[in-house]
mmCIF file of all heavy atoms in Angstrom:
data_model
loop_
_atom_site.group_PDB
_atom_site.id
_atom_site.type_symbol
_atom_site.label_atom_id
_atom_site.label_comp_id
_atom_site.label_asym_id
_atom_site.label_seq_id
_atom_site.Cartn_x
_atom_site.Cartn_y
_atom_site.Cartn_z
ATOM 1 N N PHE A 41 -18.740 5.852 -11.684
ATOM 2 C CA PHE A 41 -19.233 4.641 -12.515
ATOM 3 C C PHE A 41 -18.468 3.410 -12.077
ATOM 4 O O PHE A 41 -19.020 2.416 -11.869
ATOM 5 C CB PHE A 41 -18.960 4.869 -14.023
ATOM 6 C CG PHE A 41 -19.122 3.787 -14.780
ATOM 7 C CD1 PHE A 41 -20.494 3.375 -15.244
ATOM 8 C CD2 PHE A 41 -18.106 2.969 -15.206
ATOM 9 C CE1 PHE A 41 -20.618 2.209 -16.067
ATOM 10 C CE2 PHE A 41 -18.203 1.842 -16.025
ATOM 11 C CZ PHE A 41 -19.459 1.480 -16.422
ATOM 12 N N TRP A 42 -17.165 3.553 -11.969
ATOM 13 C CA TRP A 42 -16.396 2.453 -11.545
ATOM 14 C C TRP A 42 -16.647 2.098 -10.119
ATOM 15 O O TRP A 42 -16.479 0.787 -9.765
ATOM 16 C CB TRP A 42 -14.804 2.636 -11.767
ATOM 17 C CG TRP A 42 -14.557 2.856 -13.215
ATOM 18 C CD1 TRP A 42 -13.956 3.884 -13.780
ATOM 19 C CD2 TRP A 42 -14.661 1.867 -14.288
ATOM 20 N NE1 TRP A 42 -13.724 3.635 -15.081
ATOM 21 C CE2 TRP A 42 -14.243 2.516 -15.417
ATOM 22 C CE3 TRP A 42 -15.093 0.554 -14.188
ATOM 23 C CZ2 TRP A 42 -14.235 1.667 -16.529
ATOM 24 C CZ3 TRP A 42 -15.092 -0.269 -15.351
ATOM 25 C CH2 TRP A 42 -14.627 0.425 -16.482
ATOM 26 N N GLU A 43 -17.035 2.996 -9.287
ATOM 27 C CA GLU A 43 -17.379 2.589 -7.902
ATOM 28 C C GLU A 43 -18.717 1.645 -7.938
ATOM 29 O O GLU A 43 -18.724 0.616 -7.289
ATOM 30 C CB GLU A 43 -17.709 3.870 -7.052
ATOM 31 C CG GLU A 43 -18.343 3.617 -5.669
ATOM 32 C CD GLU A 43 -17.265 2.999 -4.758
ATOM 33 O OE1 GLU A 43 -16.088 3.264 -4.974
ATOM 34 O OE2 GLU A 43 -17.728 2.276 -3.658
ATOM 35 N N ILE A 44 -19.595 2.118 -8.834
ATOM 36 C CA ILE A 44 -20.901 1.354 -8.888
ATOM 37 C C ILE A 44 -20.590 -0.079 -9.665
ATOM 38 O O ILE A 44 -21.251 -1.108 -9.254
ATOM 39 C CB ILE A 44 -21.963 2.155 -9.653
ATOM 40 C CG1 ILE A 44 -22.376 3.353 -8.809
ATOM 41 C CG2 ILE A 44 -23.157 1.247 -10.146
ATOM 42 C CD1 ILE A 44 -23.222 4.231 -9.626
ATOM 43 N N ALA A 45 -19.734 -0.044 -10.453
ATOM 44 C CA ALA A 45 -19.364 -1.375 -11.227
ATOM 45 C C ALA A 45 -18.442 -2.211 -10.363
ATOM 46 O O ALA A 45 -17.940 -3.314 -10.823
ATOM 47 C CB ALA A 45 -18.641 -0.981 -12.492
ATOM 48 N N LEU A 46 -18.054 -1.762 -9.068
ATOM 49 C CA LEU A 46 -17.204 -2.564 -8.284
ATOM 50 C C LEU A 46 -15.915 -2.872 -8.780
ATOM 51 O O LEU A 46 -15.419 -3.996 -8.714
ATOM 52 C CB LEU A 46 -17.899 -3.910 -7.761
ATOM 53 C CG LEU A 46 -19.336 -3.728 -7.121
ATOM 54 C CD1 LEU A 46 -19.901 -5.083 -6.793
ATOM 55 C CD2 LEU A 46 -19.120 -2.951 -5.679
ATOM 56 N N CYS A 47 -15.280 -1.850 -9.434
ATOM 57 C CA CYS A 47 -13.929 -1.946 -9.956
ATOM 58 C C CYS A 47 -13.048 -0.965 -9.200
ATOM 59 O O CYS A 47 -12.823 0.101 -9.597
ATOM 60 C CB CYS A 47 -13.898 -1.670 -11.426
ATOM 61 S SG CYS A 47 -14.802 -2.854 -12.391
ATOM 62 N N PRO A 48 -12.522 -1.418 -7.966
ATOM 63 C CA PRO A 48 -11.758 -0.348 -7.266
ATOM 64 C C PRO A 48 -10.480 0.109 -7.835
ATOM 65 O O PRO A 48 -10.042 1.339 -7.640
ATOM 66 C CB PRO A 48 -11.420 -1.222 -5.943
ATOM 67 C CG PRO A 48 -11.523 -2.607 -6.386
ATOM 68 C CD PRO A 48 -12.541 -2.641 -7.475
ATOM 69 N N GLY A 49 -9.740 -0.699 -8.643
ATOM 70 C CA GLY A 49 -8.666 -0.139 -9.259
ATOM 71 C C GLY A 49 -8.923 0.962 -10.278
ATOM 72 O O GLY A 49 -8.263 1.985 -10.280
#
Side-chain angles (χ1 to χ4, degrees):
F41 172 81
W42 292 118
E43 174 70 26
I44 293 168
L46 300 175
C47 297

